[in-house]
Amino acid sequence: MELAGVAVVTGGAGGIGRAMGERFGRAGMRVVLADVEQGALDRAVDELRSQSLEVTGVVTDVARYEAVEALRDRTLELYGGVNLVCNNAGIGAGAEGALWEHELNDWRWAFGVNVYGVIHGINAFVPAMLAGGQEGHVVNTSSGNGGASPLPGTPQYAVTKAAVVTLTECLYAQLQDSGAPIGASVLFPGPHMLRTGIFTSWRNRPAELAKEKPRTTPYATIEDIEAQMRAAGVEPTYTEPAEVAEQVAAGVVAGDFWIVPASAQTDGQIQARAESMLKRENPTYLRAVPG
Ligand SMILES: NC(=O)c1ccc[n+]([C@@H]2O[C@H](COP(=O)([O-])OP(=O)(O)OC[C@H]3O[C@@H](n4cnc5c(N)ncnc54)[C@H](O)[C@@H]3O)[C@@H](O)[C@H]2O)c1
């Protein structure tokens, strides 16, 4: 589809979501940014409006279906329709210790935002898009971590991002079968890590899903992750959010399902995993650090 009409981006207050909102706004779309962080959302909206882009902010917790329904209702009230929905809000749970020591609330929080957040976006918006009868597209943000193969030290993140891939594959197939002019894509932001707020996701953890046991170590910072990478012989390299937004814009226009930038690292992981499955070999390709 063309980048025209109305775009909704969740997790739109910062990082990749904000960059997508800016890119769509510059293409002339009317943009609704949704985020759980009021202050950051207000700042993003002000900055984008100062560039004369048509942007509205709606405070939304994507883990709550009523909130995403309210986001849809506000969008329809403002603009009468919606063409592009980016289910992008996501968190890293930053659980401590081994997987079997992780708390159920670590899983609940990650599933609430990373998986239910996407399901809520689909359930709230796709019927409205179908009813509108216009061209449309849904982009769901996954990650190479879980989407291609998991970093075993981050199970909540990897498992939820794997779920986003399968969910989007099912969505794509059903939309195709329906004959509706609505496409679907899954995004692996990259080709490298992005220096965004994802590394301080704990700032948005809701009180009702707080950890029951106090942490014994601080949350890993981006500097800690960089040190782990260097110790493993990998030099940290970053991708800019604007570059990812450009890939998304191109992918939506081209109707690409996989918005997965080519990278030796990701391609190698996809290949190694597929070969392991096809050869019925044990998963020796699993690695400890991001690449
Ligand atoms: N940064 C990376 O290297 C990287 C790599 C692969 C995938 N991703 C994915 O990209 C997406 C965007 O992340 P980012 O890197 O821009 O991080 P970010 O933290 O800068 O942006 C995520 C946004 O989501 C918002 N958010 C968190 N919980 C929410 C909730 N319950 N409801 C609504 N909004 C909520 C945050 O306030 C934040 O503005 C995420 O899905 C993330 O998993 C990031």
Side-chain angles (χ1 to χ4, degrees):
M1 75 167 226
E2 293 308 309
L3 293 180
V6 178
V8 176
V9 182
T10 70
I16 297 163
R18 185 195 176 288
M20 288 197 281
E22 182 169 354
R23 179 64 182 82
F24 303 148
R26 287 194 175 162
M29 296 187 84
R30 287 159 290 165
V31 177
V32 180
L33 297 180
D35 205 284
V36 77
E37 245 183 282
Q38 170 105 56
L41 182 62
D42 290 346
R43 282 192 295 281
V45 168
D46 286 349
E47 284 163 17
L48 297 186
R49 282 185 179 163
S50 73
Q51 299 175 32
S52 303
L53 307 183
E54 167 122 17
V55 179
T56 303
V58 180
V59 175
T60 309
D61 177 356
V62 297
R64 292 181 45 241
Y65 187 53
E66 320 79 70
V68 182
E69 284 185 307
L71 169 67
R72 175 208 53 211
D73 293 347
R74 179 78 184 118
T75 304
L76 296 180
E77 185 183 281
L78 279 170
Y79 298 122
V82 58
N83 304 88
L84 177 56
V85 175
C86 297
N87 293 305
N88 167 77
I91 56 100
E96 202 177 20
L99 190 154
W100 48 90
E101 296 163 336
H102 293 172
E103 296 183 21
L104 292 180
N105 275 353
D106 295 327
W107 290 102
R108 289 187 184 109
W109 179 36
F111 269 86
V113 181
N114 295 1
V115 181
Y116 276 96
V118 178
I119 294 169
H120 293 162
I122 293 169
N123 276 21
F125 281 98
V126 172
M129 294 164 88
L130 290 167
Q134 296 176 1
E135 283 202 320
H137 206 95
V138 179
V139 179
N140 295 330
T141 305
S142 175
S143 171
N145 179 6
S149 73
L151 288 172
T154 58
Q156 290 77 27
Y157 192 79
V159 170
T160 55
K161 293 300 181 180
V164 171
V165 173
T166 305
L167 181 58
T168 316
E169 288 176 309
C170 295
L171 176 67
Y172 174 86
Q174 292 203 12
L175 285 170
Q176 287 283 303
D177 289 350
S178 77
I182 301 174
S185 305
V186 68
L187 168 66
F188 293 7
H192 306 293
M193 292 193 299
L194 290 94
R195 234 180 198 284
T196 64
I198 197 77
F199 300 101
T200 56
S201 293
W202 42 263
R203 70 194 187 278
N204 288 316
R205 187 165 181 153
E208 67 272 19
L209 296 178
K211 293 184 78 63
E212 286 162 23
K213 289 174 286 184
R215 285 187 72 92
T216 58
T217 55
Y219 281 106
T221 62
I222 181 84
E223 289 75 20
D224 296 332
I225 293 164
E226 287 179 346
Q228 287 168 18
M229 291 172 73
R230 289 200 175 97
V234 179
E235 186 53 31
T237 313
Y238 291 98
T239 298
E240 290 299 320
E243 191 182 328
V244 174
E246 205 52 53
Q247 295 160 9
V248 173
V252 168
V253 170
D256 294 338
F257 176 80
W258 298 107
I259 306 182
V260 177
S263 107
Q265 179 75 41
T266 307
D267 291 9
Q269 288 295 310
I270 294 169
Q271 193 163 3
R273 187 178 196 215
E275 279 173 11
S276 153
M277 291 166 100
L278 290 168
K279 293 179 184 164
R280 278 74 182 164
E281 285 175 356
N282 293 350
T284 50
Y285 54 85
L286 295 172
R287 69 214 154 101
V289 296

